[in-house]
Amino acid sequence: GESVGLHLPTLSVQEGDNSIINCAYSNSASDYFIWYKQESGKGPQFIIDIRSNMDKRQGQRVTVLLNKTVKHLSLQIAATQPGDSAVYFCAETGDYKLSFGAGTTVTVRA
Amino acid sequence: NAGVTQTPKFQVLKTGQSMTLQCAQDMNHNSMYWYRQDPGMGLRLIYYSASEGTTDKGEVPNGYNVSRLNKREFSLRLESAAPSQTSVYFCASMDRGNTEAFFGQGTRLTVV
């Protein structure tokens, strides 16, 4: 069936280092792939998206890479800060449906 | 600008009771969603509504019904609550042609 999932449930990173969060997807028909961040006690918040016909997109301190050959999506966070500690979800959308993966918990060490 | 508002924030139900979770958005978005979030399971889509007057099943629709009352409001109903429906429920809305969904603060539901 269709699903969006993540490789690792947790990631611990030293403050100032770069973080890489990975995601595997199975629905090649999705129009967009998206990353969301969820802080404790809150709803998810949009970080960045990438259209299915693109390979890379950069935002402020974040880069999303899409490898359609192996159905892999990644989020790179540069110079990770304590405020980046959260759960990160990849998601996909197509035909108005928005589906999420299981999430990776990122902990930033001081 | 309130965004997406969910009520109630907390609820405890006995098995077999019914209740409706309310969701309203003031951003004039066409699409609205209901998710449940369980530990280690991420966000699972229950139902969604692409536009006023339409609703579609998501990944886990069993035991739930929805109503898109108008463009602003999208409610989720549990007709006969079960302990397996203990979860945090999130409502979200998204504008057509966009990928940024806006979420409510969630409803923490416990069924005993």
Side-chain angles (χ1 to χ4, degrees):
Chain A
E2 300 173 359
S3 66
V4 180
L6 297 181
H7 289 312
L8 296 174
T10 62
L11 175 67
S12 179
V13 61
Q14 186 71 36
E15 181 178 356
D17 287 353
N18 296 334
S19 303
I20 300 176
I21 307 166
N22 296 306
C23 174
Y25 66 90
S26 61
N27 185 6
S28 300
S30 293
D31 298 322
Y32 281 88
F33 298 91
I34 315 133
W35 284 99
Y36 282 81
K37 173 186 179 183
Q38 185 179 28
E39 297 175 339
S40 181
K42 298 182 179 180
Q45 287 186 298
F46 174 92
I47 302 173
I48 190 168
D49 66 4
I50 185 166
R51 193 166 179 167
S52 59
N53 62 355
M54 297 174 64
D55 298 319
K56 180 179 179 178
R57 189 172 186 209
Q58 288 185 294
Q60 186 175 8
R61 276 203 311 121
V62 295
T63 300
V64 56
L65 300 177
L66 177 62
N67 185 331
K68 293 178 287 294
T69 302
V70 295
K71 297 182 180 179
H72 183 267
L73 184 72
S74 68
L75 177 70
Q76 300 177 1
I77 304 174
T80 310
Q81 302 170 358
D84 295 327
S85 292
V87 179
Y88 290 82
F89 295 96
C90 62
E92 58 182 331
T93 187
D95 290 332
Y96 306 108
K97 190 176 181 180
L98 179 63
S99 299
F100 285 77
T104 294
T105 300
V106 173
T107 302
V108 180
R109 306 188 306 271
Chain B
N1 190 340
V4 179
T5 303
Q6 289 182 235
T7 55
K9 288 186 171 52
F10 301 93
Q11 183 71 49
V12 178
L13 290 178
K14 293 183 179 179
T15 297
Q17 286 186 316
S18 63
M19 80 159 295
T20 300
L21 279 64
Q22 306 287 352
C23 176
Q25 52 94 7
D26 61 4
M27 295 170 284
N28 203 37
H29 288 169
N30 286 297
S31 301
M32 296 186 73
Y33 306 83
W34 275 106
Y35 298 89
R36 61 176 290 173
Q37 185 171 30
D38 304 298
M41 296 295 291
L43 288 152
R44 291 186 290 172
L45 181 63
I46 306 172
Y47 271 92
Y48 65 104
S49 171
S51 62
E52 183 180 356
T54 68
T55 60
D56 286 284
K57 294 179 180 179
E59 301 148 15
V60 290
N62 291 344
Y64 305 95
N65 286 300
V66 290
S67 295
R68 185 72 185 267
L69 304 169
N70 46 56
K71 194 171 187 180
R72 291 186 63 249
E73 299 172 291
F74 188 38
S75 62
L76 178 72
R77 182 161 179 83
L78 287 71
E79 290 292 351
S80 180
S84 60
Q85 294 178 305
T86 293
S87 189
V88 179
Y89 291 84
F90 285 100
C91 175
S93 71
M94 188 164 72
D95 203 7
R96 185 169 293 168
N98 208 329
T99 59
E100 182 174 2
F102 292 83
F103 285 78
Q105 288 297 301
T107 295
R108 186 174 294 275
L109 176 67
T110 302
V111 183
V112 298

